[in-house]
Amino acid sequence: MIKLAQNTIDKEDIRLLIEWLSQEETPRLTKDKLTEEFEAEWSKKCGQKYSVFVNSGSSAILLGLYSLLEGGYLKNQKVVISSLSWITDVSSVVQIGLTPILCDCNLTDLSVDLGNLEEIFIREQPAALILVSVLGLVPRMKEIVDLCNKYDVILFEDVAESLGSKYQEQRLGTFGKISTYSLYFGHTISSIEGGIITTDDFDLYELMISLRSHGWDRDQSKETQQKLRTEWNIDNFNHFYTFHFAGFNLRSTDLQAFIGLNQLKKLDKYCEIRHNNFLIYLDKIKINELVLTEKELDFTSNFAFPIVSKNREKIVKSLIKNQIEVRPLIAGSIARSPFWIKRFGLQALINCDKIHNYGFYLPNHQELTIDEINFICKLVNEVKDEI
């Protein structure tokens, strides 16, 4: 079978991990110095000052949102999310008591529809936008940033599927106040489970590393620790179990940080492979209602290749018959999910409904061969010939 995704953790990664675990002095496995090293390397690689390593990409979204709320960054409780996203982009908003507002997607890069987005900004005056860069495709970042600035909306980037993609040579994940990444199996690189949050705001970073670990001050800077302990009259003994915020335990481990450090060395190579595969798909696929392109100076580190076709059923049957793994285009429209309908009722979104009914995506990963891509494209295009 040609899989949608392949493990990026290879035998060499495992060998190095065994070697590390077999040291004479057993290494610290829970969050410690390697986590800090991994966070520093991530910041250097991905272009923001501060990084926070957590146990999943979903936890990264939850922690990022709650930090904005706890830190007083939100002017109200309204958050806009594209309906073509992932459950935790929306459920995190709901779980911390904020109000989700769904925006339709577009049919070119699958991110937010700019017309619908501005209508929502004018009507609702929201505090934040969670911008999901879908499948590594590159949104129209200048227009989105301009709209957020015009209407005083915090930009929160979810780039779980778009690690390495660039808009006009600038990495996605460096445009907003805060960005989140996923290091789950099958993503561009992996730490088994894991997520990263990045920001350039030091105060927000200090808040996030406290909230990640119960709400205590142990991981914060000496200056922040001293300020909090003086303000609340906490001595050097009692500070161990003093909680300044209603925090979580969303920490990852040094074991996963060790894996992540080795994975980072492969990032550029894997992104280049995904990009080249995307260009082959773009050239070969002849049946698609999406208008996919790559603008000059952009770079698409494609997670999987999306197609929208009214012949989805026939194409999917052919792919499965020929041992090609295929899935719906993410979750389709979040507005069509039972949890949304139960809470908020039915909501029609023209473009996202089309994706829900007719969308699917094809494999792309670092192990995929050109021959395999050509075979997949041949199967897809054959259905067009039958119409």
Side-chain angles (χ1 to χ4, degrees), residues 1-7 185 274 281 303-304 322-327 361-369 372 376:
M1 175 173 281
I2 301 176
K3 294 281 192 178
L4 274 171
Q6 288 284 1
N7 197 350
F185 165 85
R274 287 177 175 275
Y281 272 126
F303 185 73
N322 285 277
Q323 297 287 291
I324 314 296
E325 196 169 20
V326 59
R327 290 286 187 277
Y361 56 60
L362 304 173
N364 192 1
H365 52 77
Q366 75 281 354
E367 303 295 334
L368 195 63
T369 69
E372 286 173 332
I376 293 167

mmCIF file of all heavy atoms in Angstrom, residues 1-7 185 274 281 303-304 322-327 361-369 372 376:
data_model
loop_
_atom_site.group_PDB
_atom_site.id
_atom_site.type_symbol
_atom_site.label_atom_id
_atom_site.label_comp_id
_atom_site.label_asym_id
_atom_site.label_seq_id
_atom_site.Cartn_x
_atom_site.Cartn_y
_atom_site.Cartn_z
ATOM 1 N N MET A 1 0.839 -1.209 0.000
ATOM 2 C CA MET A 1 0.000 0.000 0.000
ATOM 3 C C MET A 1 0.866 1.248 0.000
ATOM 4 O O MET A 1 1.896 1.313 0.673
ATOM 5 C CB MET A 1 -0.915 0.000 1.220
ATOM 6 C CG MET A 1 -1.742 1.274 1.372
ATOM 7 S SD MET A 1 -2.963 1.197 2.705
ATOM 8 C CE MET A 1 -4.254 0.249 1.900
ATOM 9 N N ILE A 2 0.451 2.242 -0.775
ATOM 10 C CA ILE A 2 1.090 3.553 -0.722
ATOM 11 C C ILE A 2 0.383 4.354 0.367
ATOM 12 O O ILE A 2 -0.779 4.716 0.243
ATOM 13 C CB ILE A 2 1.007 4.282 -2.080
ATOM 14 C CG1 ILE A 2 1.686 3.438 -3.168
ATOM 15 C CG2 ILE A 2 1.644 5.662 -1.982
ATOM 16 C CD1 ILE A 2 1.563 4.034 -4.561
ATOM 17 N N LYS A 3 1.102 4.627 1.452
ATOM 18 C CA LYS A 3 0.523 5.253 2.631
ATOM 19 C C LYS A 3 0.424 6.769 2.469
ATOM 20 O O LYS A 3 1.214 7.393 1.757
ATOM 21 C CB LYS A 3 1.385 4.941 3.859
ATOM 22 C CG LYS A 3 1.405 3.470 4.245
ATOM 23 C CD LYS A 3 0.148 3.117 4.990
ATOM 24 C CE LYS A 3 0.250 1.746 5.652
ATOM 25 N NZ LYS A 3 -0.958 1.438 6.419
ATOM 26 N N LEU A 4 -0.548 7.344 3.197
ATOM 27 C CA LEU A 4 -0.657 8.807 3.242
ATOM 28 C C LEU A 4 0.557 9.425 3.895
ATOM 29 O O LEU A 4 1.011 10.495 3.510
ATOM 30 C CB LEU A 4 -1.901 9.222 4.030
ATOM 31 C CG LEU A 4 -3.219 9.291 3.273
ATOM 32 C CD1 LEU A 4 -4.358 9.492 4.254
ATOM 33 C CD2 LEU A 4 -3.201 10.414 2.244
ATOM 34 N N ALA A 5 1.073 8.770 4.932
ATOM 35 C CA ALA A 5 2.186 9.314 5.704
ATOM 36 C C ALA A 5 3.142 8.192 6.077
ATOM 37 O O ALA A 5 2.746 7.025 6.157
ATOM 38 C CB ALA A 5 1.667 9.999 6.965
ATOM 39 N N GLN A 6 4.404 8.561 6.301
ATOM 40 C CA GLN A 6 5.411 7.605 6.744
ATOM 41 C C GLN A 6 6.120 8.158 7.966
ATOM 42 O O GLN A 6 6.305 9.372 8.103
ATOM 43 C CB GLN A 6 6.439 7.334 5.634
ATOM 44 C CG GLN A 6 5.913 6.513 4.477
ATOM 45 C CD GLN A 6 5.778 5.035 4.814
ATOM 46 O OE1 GLN A 6 6.061 4.624 5.939
ATOM 47 N NE2 GLN A 6 5.321 4.242 3.866
ATOM 48 N N ASN A 7 6.530 7.265 8.833
ATOM 49 C CA ASN A 7 7.251 7.671 10.033
ATOM 50 C C ASN A 7 8.558 8.376 9.655
ATOM 51 O O ASN A 7 9.317 7.876 8.826
ATOM 52 C CB ASN A 7 7.549 6.433 10.887
ATOM 53 C CG ASN A 7 7.904 6.788 12.309
ATOM 54 O OD1 ASN A 7 8.117 7.952 12.636
ATOM 55 N ND2 ASN A 7 7.967 5.784 13.160
ATOM 56 N N PHE A 185 3.214 11.763 14.728
ATOM 57 C CA PHE A 185 3.612 10.809 13.686
ATOM 58 C C PHE A 185 3.055 11.224 12.328
ATOM 59 O O PHE A 185 1.884 11.588 12.198
ATOM 60 C CB PHE A 185 3.074 9.414 14.039
ATOM 61 C CG PHE A 185 3.110 8.448 12.877
ATOM 62 C CD1 PHE A 185 4.256 7.736 12.599
ATOM 63 C CD2 PHE A 185 2.015 8.279 12.051
ATOM 64 C CE1 PHE A 185 4.299 6.860 11.519
ATOM 65 C CE2 PHE A 185 2.048 7.393 10.967
ATOM 66 C CZ PHE A 185 3.199 6.688 10.711
ATOM 67 N N ARG A 274 8.829 17.197 -0.082
ATOM 68 C CA ARG A 274 7.391 17.457 -0.132
ATOM 69 C C ARG A 274 7.056 18.521 -1.174
ATOM 70 O O ARG A 274 6.046 18.423 -1.872
ATOM 71 C CB ARG A 274 6.887 17.881 1.257
ATOM 72 C CG ARG A 274 6.819 16.745 2.258
ATOM 73 C CD ARG A 274 6.387 17.227 3.631
ATOM 74 N NE ARG A 274 6.197 16.133 4.573
ATOM 75 C CZ ARG A 274 5.091 15.419 4.707
ATOM 76 N NH1 ARG A 274 4.037 15.707 3.948
ATOM 77 N NH2 ARG A 274 4.995 14.438 5.584
ATOM 78 N N TYR A 281 2.584 16.678 -8.639
ATOM 79 C CA TYR A 281 1.121 16.561 -8.570
ATOM 80 C C TYR A 281 0.446 17.708 -9.325
ATOM 81 O O TYR A 281 -0.507 17.504 -10.083
ATOM 82 C CB TYR A 281 0.654 16.589 -7.112
ATOM 83 C CG TYR A 281 0.610 15.261 -6.406
ATOM 84 C CD1 TYR A 281 1.287 15.084 -5.195
ATOM 85 C CD2 TYR A 281 -0.142 14.202 -6.898
ATOM 86 C CE1 TYR A 281 1.222 13.877 -4.503
ATOM 87 C CE2 TYR A 281 -0.214 12.993 -6.229
ATOM 88 C CZ TYR A 281 0.472 12.827 -5.032
ATOM 89 O OH TYR A 281 0.396 11.634 -4.363
ATOM 90 N N PHE A 303 1.699 18.923 2.820
ATOM 91 C CA PHE A 303 1.417 17.838 3.756
ATOM 92 C C PHE A 303 0.730 16.668 3.046
ATOM 93 O O PHE A 303 1.014 15.498 3.318
ATOM 94 C CB PHE A 303 0.534 18.384 4.879
ATOM 95 C CG PHE A 303 0.254 17.415 5.976
ATOM 96 C CD1 PHE A 303 1.246 17.078 6.888
ATOM 97 C CD2 PHE A 303 -1.000 16.842 6.119
ATOM 98 C CE1 PHE A 303 0.990 16.182 7.922
ATOM 99 C CE2 PHE A 303 -1.266 15.956 7.147
ATOM 100 C CZ PHE A 303 -0.276 15.625 8.048
ATOM 101 N N ALA A 304 -0.214 16.977 2.168
ATOM 102 C CA ALA A 304 -0.908 16.001 1.332
ATOM 103 C C ALA A 304 -1.552 16.795 0.208
ATOM 104 O O ALA A 304 -1.835 17.979 0.365
ATOM 105 C CB ALA A 304 -1.957 15.237 2.134
ATOM 106 N N ASN A 322 -6.555 0.007 -5.720
ATOM 107 C CA ASN A 322 -5.152 -0.100 -6.132
ATOM 108 C C ASN A 322 -4.167 0.172 -4.989
ATOM 109 O O ASN A 322 -3.005 0.517 -5.223
ATOM 110 C CB ASN A 322 -4.888 0.864 -7.290
ATOM 111 C CG ASN A 322 -5.466 0.376 -8.596
ATOM 112 O OD1 ASN A 322 -4.854 -0.429 -9.290
ATOM 113 N ND2 ASN A 322 -6.664 0.864 -8.932
ATOM 114 N N GLN A 323 -4.668 0.003 -3.755
ATOM 115 C CA GLN A 323 -3.812 0.075 -2.571
ATOM 116 C C GLN A 323 -3.187 1.460 -2.344
ATOM 117 O O GLN A 323 -2.043 1.580 -1.902
ATOM 118 C CB GLN A 323 -2.684 -0.971 -2.660
ATOM 119 C CG GLN A 323 -3.173 -2.413 -2.691
ATOM 120 C CD GLN A 323 -3.686 -2.868 -1.325
ATOM 121 O OE1 GLN A 323 -2.924 -3.022 -0.382
ATOM 122 N NE2 GLN A 323 -4.985 -3.072 -1.218
ATOM 123 N N ILE A 324 -3.974 2.486 -2.650
ATOM 124 C CA ILE A 324 -3.549 3.858 -2.364
ATOM 125 C C ILE A 324 -4.365 4.362 -1.175
ATOM 126 O O ILE A 324 -5.606 4.384 -1.240
ATOM 127 C CB ILE A 324 -3.781 4.813 -3.557
ATOM 128 C CG1 ILE A 324 -3.310 4.197 -4.869
ATOM 129 C CG2 ILE A 324 -3.147 6.173 -3.284
ATOM 130 C CD1 ILE A 324 -1.844 3.945 -4.948
ATOM 131 N N GLU A 325 -3.693 4.768 -0.105
ATOM 132 C CA GLU A 325 -4.412 5.297 1.048
ATOM 133 C C GLU A 325 -4.931 6.694 0.721
ATOM 134 O O GLU A 325 -4.204 7.532 0.196
ATOM 135 C CB GLU A 325 -3.488 5.345 2.267
ATOM 136 C CG GLU A 325 -4.232 5.498 3.572
ATOM 137 C CD GLU A 325 -3.336 5.281 4.779
ATOM 138 O OE1 GLU A 325 -2.096 5.374 4.659
ATOM 139 O OE2 GLU A 325 -3.894 5.024 5.862
ATOM 140 N N VAL A 326 -6.187 6.945 1.043
ATOM 141 C CA VAL A 326 -6.835 8.211 0.710
ATOM 142 C C VAL A 326 -7.797 8.570 1.838
ATOM 143 O O VAL A 326 -8.339 7.688 2.500
ATOM 144 C CB VAL A 326 -7.570 8.106 -0.655
ATOM 145 C CG1 VAL A 326 -8.624 7.019 -0.636
ATOM 146 C CG2 VAL A 326 -8.158 9.438 -1.090
ATOM 147 N N ARG A 327 -7.967 9.869 2.086
ATOM 148 C CA ARG A 327 -8.825 10.323 3.181
ATOM 149 C C ARG A 327 -9.675 11.519 2.732
ATOM 150 O O ARG A 327 -9.333 12.191 1.747
ATOM 151 C CB ARG A 327 -7.977 10.762 4.379
ATOM 152 C CG ARG A 327 -7.276 9.639 5.114
ATOM 153 C CD ARG A 327 -8.247 8.827 5.955
ATOM 154 N NE ARG A 327 -7.544 7.841 6.786
ATOM 155 C CZ ARG A 327 -7.153 6.652 6.381
ATOM 156 N NH1 ARG A 327 -7.400 6.266 5.140
ATOM 157 N NH2 ARG A 327 -6.525 5.835 7.199
ATOM 158 N N TYR A 361 -7.807 13.898 -0.108
ATOM 159 C CA TYR A 361 -6.397 14.202 -0.394
ATOM 160 C C TYR A 361 -5.565 12.948 -0.588
ATOM 161 O O TYR A 361 -5.931 11.850 -0.172
ATOM 162 C CB TYR A 361 -5.778 15.155 0.616
ATOM 163 C CG TYR A 361 -5.800 14.809 2.083
ATOM 164 C CD1 TYR A 361 -5.190 13.664 2.582
ATOM 165 C CD2 TYR A 361 -6.373 15.692 3.001
ATOM 166 C CE1 TYR A 361 -5.160 13.395 3.937
ATOM 167 C CE2 TYR A 361 -6.355 15.430 4.360
ATOM 168 C CZ TYR A 361 -5.733 14.277 4.819
ATOM 169 O OH TYR A 361 -5.707 14.015 6.161
ATOM 170 N N LEU A 362 -4.427 13.159 -1.276
ATOM 171 C CA LEU A 362 -3.559 12.091 -1.744
ATOM 172 C C LEU A 362 -2.244 12.088 -0.965
ATOM 173 O O LEU A 362 -1.846 13.109 -0.397
ATOM 174 C CB LEU A 362 -3.255 12.284 -3.235
ATOM 175 C CG LEU A 362 -4.457 12.380 -4.173
ATOM 176 C CD1 LEU A 362 -4.004 12.745 -5.583
ATOM 177 C CD2 LEU A 362 -5.243 11.065 -4.181
ATOM 178 N N PRO A 363 -1.525 10.967 -0.953
ATOM 179 C CA PRO A 363 -0.295 10.864 -0.167
ATOM 180 C C PRO A 363 0.787 11.851 -0.602
ATOM 181 O O PRO A 363 0.953 12.153 -1.786
ATOM 182 C CB PRO A 363 0.173 9.427 -0.440
ATOM 183 C CG PRO A 363 -1.052 8.683 -0.829
ATOM 184 C CD PRO A 363 -1.889 9.679 -1.577
ATOM 185 N N ASN A 364 1.516 12.347 0.389
ATOM 186 C CA ASN A 364 2.773 13.069 0.161
ATOM 187 C C ASN A 364 3.626 12.912 1.407
ATOM 188 O O ASN A 364 3.194 13.249 2.506
ATOM 189 C CB ASN A 364 2.542 14.545 -0.142
ATOM 190 C CG ASN A 364 3.805 15.222 -0.657
ATOM 191 O OD1 ASN A 364 4.847 14.579 -0.801
ATOM 192 N ND2 ASN A 364 3.717 16.508 -0.928
ATOM 193 N N HIS A 365 4.818 12.397 1.229
ATOM 194 C CA HIS A 365 5.757 12.250 2.351
ATOM 195 C C HIS A 365 7.155 12.021 1.789
ATOM 196 O O HIS A 365 7.359 11.931 0.567
ATOM 197 C CB HIS A 365 5.338 11.097 3.271
ATOM 198 C CG HIS A 365 5.104 9.796 2.579
ATOM 199 N ND1 HIS A 365 6.126 8.981 2.151
ATOM 200 C CD2 HIS A 365 3.960 9.163 2.212
ATOM 201 C CE1 HIS A 365 5.635 7.905 1.576
ATOM 202 N NE2 HIS A 365 4.306 7.988 1.584
ATOM 203 N N GLN A 366 8.123 11.928 2.693
ATOM 204 C CA GLN A 366 9.533 11.898 2.294
ATOM 205 C C GLN A 366 9.944 10.597 1.614
ATOM 206 O O GLN A 366 10.988 10.546 0.956
ATOM 207 C CB GLN A 366 10.430 12.179 3.512
ATOM 208 C CG GLN A 366 10.569 11.041 4.510
ATOM 209 C CD GLN A 366 9.366 10.920 5.439
ATOM 210 O OE1 GLN A 366 8.467 11.745 5.428
ATOM 211 N NE2 GLN A 366 9.354 9.891 6.265
ATOM 212 N N GLU A 367 9.143 9.555 1.741
ATOM 213 C CA GLU A 367 9.477 8.256 1.131
ATOM 214 C C GLU A 367 8.767 8.036 -0.203
ATOM 215 O O GLU A 367 9.034 7.057 -0.897
ATOM 216 C CB GLU A 367 9.107 7.120 2.089
ATOM 217 C CG GLU A 367 9.761 7.194 3.457
ATOM 218 C CD GLU A 367 11.270 7.042 3.394
ATOM 219 O OE1 GLU A 367 11.760 6.410 2.441
ATOM 220 O OE2 GLU A 367 11.948 7.561 4.297
ATOM 221 N N LEU A 368 7.864 8.919 -0.587
ATOM 222 C CA LEU A 368 7.081 8.737 -1.805
ATOM 223 C C LEU A 368 7.974 8.891 -3.038
ATOM 224 O O LEU A 368 8.748 9.846 -3.145
ATOM 225 C CB LEU A 368 5.960 9.779 -1.838
ATOM 226 C CG LEU A 368 4.816 9.583 -2.829
ATOM 227 C CD1 LEU A 368 4.037 8.321 -2.527
ATOM 228 C CD2 LEU A 368 3.901 10.807 -2.794
ATOM 229 N N THR A 369 7.852 7.966 -3.995
ATOM 230 C CA THR A 369 8.684 8.023 -5.204
ATOM 231 C C THR A 369 7.934 8.696 -6.350
ATOM 232 O O THR A 369 6.694 8.780 -6.344
ATOM 233 C CB THR A 369 9.101 6.607 -5.649
ATOM 234 O OG1 THR A 369 7.932 5.910 -6.117
ATOM 235 C CG2 THR A 369 9.742 5.836 -4.508
ATOM 236 N N GLU A 372 5.501 6.332 -7.943
ATOM 237 C CA GLU A 372 4.262 6.195 -7.172
ATOM 238 C C GLU A 372 3.329 7.380 -7.421
ATOM 239 O O GLU A 372 2.120 7.212 -7.567
ATOM 240 C CB GLU A 372 4.587 6.063 -5.685
ATOM 241 C CG GLU A 372 5.167 4.699 -5.326
ATOM 242 C CD GLU A 372 5.658 4.615 -3.896
ATOM 243 O OE1 GLU A 372 6.047 5.676 -3.334
ATOM 244 O OE2 GLU A 372 5.676 3.502 -3.335
ATOM 245 N N ILE A 376 -0.440 7.232 -9.016
ATOM 246 C CA ILE A 376 -1.601 7.839 -8.352
ATOM 247 C C ILE A 376 -2.312 8.801 -9.300
ATOM 248 O O ILE A 376 -3.542 8.775 -9.432
ATOM 249 C CB ILE A 376 -1.158 8.568 -7.064
ATOM 250 C CG1 ILE A 376 -0.651 7.566 -6.030
ATOM 251 C CG2 ILE A 376 -2.315 9.383 -6.488
ATOM 252 C CD1 ILE A 376 0.085 8.202 -4.861
#
